[in-house]
Amino acid sequence: MAVFNVVEKFVSINGEGQHAGELAVFIRLRGCNLSCSYCDTRWACTDEADAEAMSEDEIISYVKSTGVRRVTLTGGEPLLAEDIRVLLEAFSSEKNILVEIETNGSVFVGDFAKIDNPPAFTLDYKLAGSGMEDKMDLSNFKYLQKKDTVKFVCSNVSELDKVCEIVDEFSLSEKCTVLISPVFGRIEPADMVDYLIEHKRNDIRLQLQLHKFIWDPNKRGV
């Protein structure tokens, strides 16, 4: 039996991704290998963050107790958790639970994609404004399926050129859902819409983080 450092667990709506607006159980694991300039969960990324030690059975039992079928595993970077494969394989045998894992794009996902009944991946591509673009593992794009998502968080309009370059080079919109979203407070969403119109990008979807409009942007547990 494995042990996972859970810094938050709660029920809310998905604020972003393919299932934005749908109820989900959030399991936030401690630790991250990146330090993005706009990170809004930096408090969860250090080894000193308060955490509850939970086994895979305890996590699944908690999820079942909520009555909510969809689970979002997040962080930090959840794929760095020791024995994360144990947790994903435990979830894979729960046919009534739908698991999505939010990963930062720097960790190889190929091995996890081969699990029976694998999770859906929401895979970030960190653009230059994050300060972490050089950490991206582009080999991850080979493993994407229709249930997966690639998400680009943009700090300025000029980064949208790079988004289109990556989407086209790796045929991402043919493999999965492609989302762009603004760094909260840094770029106007209307400018991003104008870009999509001007460049006729029917294959890229703008998405705002719902939880930051429903609640205070800094509020935890939502």
Side-chain angles (χ1 to χ4, degrees):
M1 187 168 293
V3 176
F4 302 92
N5 293 309
V6 178
V7 294
E8 273 192 318
K9 62 183 194 297
F10 58 91
V11 174
S12 186
I13 58 164
N14 267 312
E16 53 194 335
Q18 283 195 41
H19 300 283
E22 295 182 30
L23 283 177
V25 186
F26 286 81
I27 306 293
R28 187 181 303 281
L29 302 181
R30 183 171 70 187
C32 190
N33 59 325
L34 301 185
S35 182
C36 297
S37 64
Y38 49 73
C39 180
D40 55 6
T41 55
R42 199 176 301 277
W43 59 272
C45 295
T46 69
D47 291 340
E48 292 74 38
D50 289 338
E52 178 183 359
M54 298 182 71
S55 69
E56 66 273 22
D57 289 345
E58 288 171 331
I59 290 173
I60 291 174
S61 177
Y62 167 72
V63 169
K64 289 181 175 179
S65 75
T66 68
V68 175
R69 292 184 60 210
R70 191 169 295 283
V71 177
T72 300
L73 298 177
T74 188
E77 173 47 61
L79 289 180
L80 290 178
E82 188 175 356
D83 294 324
I84 187 63
R85 188 182 184 92
V86 172
L87 179 60
L88 295 179
E89 288 180 341
F91 269 124
S92 75
S93 64
E94 299 290 338
K95 304 306 181 185
N96 291 321
I97 296 177
L98 305 172
V99 178
E100 173 188 0
I101 189 159
E102 296 184 334
T103 180
N104 64 25
S106 72
V107 180
F108 182 62
V109 304
D111 293 336
F112 306 108
K114 297 173 184 176
I115 294 172
D116 289 340
N117 188 26
F121 296 100
T122 294
L123 181 76
D124 277 6
Y125 181 92
K126 303 295 186 184
L127 294 159
S130 71
M132 297 287 119
E133 188 172 17
D134 63 328
K135 305 295 193 300
M136 296 296 94
D137 186 345
L138 301 182
S139 70
N140 283 332
F141 294 148
K142 293 188 297 186
Y143 301 94
L144 297 174
Q145 303 178 56
K146 285 297 183 182
K147 68 178 180 178
D148 300 324
T149 302
V150 175
K151 176 165 62 73
F152 299 85
V153 181
C154 302
S155 300
N156 53 68
V157 173
S158 65
E159 288 189 334
L160 290 165
D161 289 333
K162 185 58 179 285
V163 171
C164 292
E165 177 185 324
I166 294 293
V167 170
D168 293 343
E169 180 179 354
F170 294 95
S171 302
L172 293 183
S173 57
E174 297 172 17
K175 298 175 180 177
C176 64
T177 296
V178 178
L179 300 177
I180 55 172
S181 62
V183 176
F184 194 79
R186 281 198 198 175
I187 177 176
E188 289 298 325
D191 294 335
M192 299 174 74
V193 174
D194 289 342
Y195 182 97
L196 295 178
I197 293 170
E198 179 183 353
H199 292 83
K200 300 178 174 58
R201 296 305 305 216
N202 298 286
D203 57 337
I204 298 174
R205 184 190 309 172
L206 173 68
Q207 188 172 83
L208 306 180
Q209 294 176 297
L210 291 176
H211 51 287
K212 292 190 176 180
F213 291 88
I214 298 172
W215 299 281
D216 183 290
N218 298 312
K219 185 176 177 62
R220 298 183 187 178
V222 295

